[in-house]
Amino acid sequence: AAELLEQVGLPPAMAARYPHELSGGQARRVCVARALALNPALVIADEPTAGLDVSVQGEILNLMADLKTRLGLSFLVISHNLSMVRHVTDRIAILYLGRLVEIGPTSAVFAKPLHPYTQSLIASEPQPDPRKRRADLGIKGEIPSVLRRPKGCEFHTRCTIAVERCHHEPPKLRELAPQRFVRCHLAPPPEPA
């Protein structure tokens, strides 16, 4: 336990503390230490920075990057925080109603999103400059129920570019460029790098 705590930047004496005696950042570090106990090759991190203030978020992300390098770990990060995802991931997969709609290298997806939902998510990312207003998100209506999924493309009920084909024919996940996959009838292939 002492070794694991030291690996995540906590003093070994923390092992004697109860959960309610830990700060949010300390508790998150303990969770990482517990995950490391089995010497995993892959750690699944579901919203690893949720509920933490910005400075502590940075500490946790830096810890994950350090562990990735030092221990040769891979992280599967699940998050709604696009800024964090952009900072810590090499590849990204975007889900809508629990289905993959776009997959690719993180830098490529952020530079040129192909799926209309991905485009809307990236356009909605908060900007630190208050003079930069968010763009029109391009999403209309309510999120459909996963119990009553729309026929055809599941995003067509909210998509601003949907055509008749989208209402009836579910798109397949297609590789439009090396390592770039998208589930959309209308997605253009990305421009060559």
Side-chain angles (χ1 to χ4, degrees):
E3 272 182 45
L4 291 169
L5 288 170
E6 286 177 348
Q7 277 190 339
V8 298
L10 293 174
M14 292 292 236
R17 290 198 183 177
Y18 289 96
H20 70 275
E21 297 175 316
L22 301 173
S23 70
Q26 291 169 336
R28 207 61 53 95
R29 287 176 184 269
V30 168
C31 289
V32 173
R34 285 185 2 217
L36 298 177
L38 297 175
N39 295 318
L42 173 70
V43 173
I44 299 173
D46 188 359
E47 297 287 0
T49 60
L52 300 176
D53 69 42
V54 175
S55 63
V56 178
Q57 286 181 18
E59 290 174 10
I60 297 302
L61 297 177
N62 290 336
L63 171 64
M64 291 169 62
D66 175 59
L67 293 171
K68 179 179 169 185
T69 303
R70 193 164 29 102
L71 303 178
L73 284 176
S74 293
F75 284 92
L76 173 66
V77 178
I78 303 165
S79 182
H80 293 89
N81 183 339
L82 289 179
S83 298
M84 185 268 296
V85 168
R86 177 185 272 183
H87 179 71
V88 300
T89 62
D90 300 318
R91 292 185 49 74
I92 188 170
I94 304 293
L95 295 144
Y96 182 75
L97 293 182
R99 297 203 202 284
L100 290 168
V101 294
E102 186 163 351
I103 306 168
T106 302
S107 59
V109 171
F110 274 90
K112 179 73 170 123
L114 302 176
H115 193 279
Y117 181 61
T118 308
Q119 293 167 0
S120 297
L121 287 177
I122 291 172
S124 71
E125 190 177 17
Q127 299 295 320
D129 185 346
R131 294 171 294 184
K132 293 183 179 175
R133 301 238 178 232
R134 291 183 185 179
D136 178 17
L137 303 185
I139 297 178
K140 58 184 181 181
E142 295 293 319
I143 299 171
S145 167
V146 293
L147 300 175
R148 291 182 308 281
R149 293 177 177 276
K151 293 185 191 278
C153 173
E154 294 177 332
F155 188 61
H156 87 267
T157 61
R158 305 181 73 205
C159 183
T160 58
I161 64 168
V163 296
E164 187 61 31
R165 177 182 183 192
C166 303
H167 296 250
H168 307 289
E169 184 183 331
K172 294 184 178 359
L173 191 64
R174 305 176 289 141
E175 187 172 17
L176 294 185
Q179 299 184 15
R180 292 294 305 270
F181 298 85
V182 67
R183 186 183 309 272
C184 179
H185 295 303
L186 306 173
E191 297 173 14

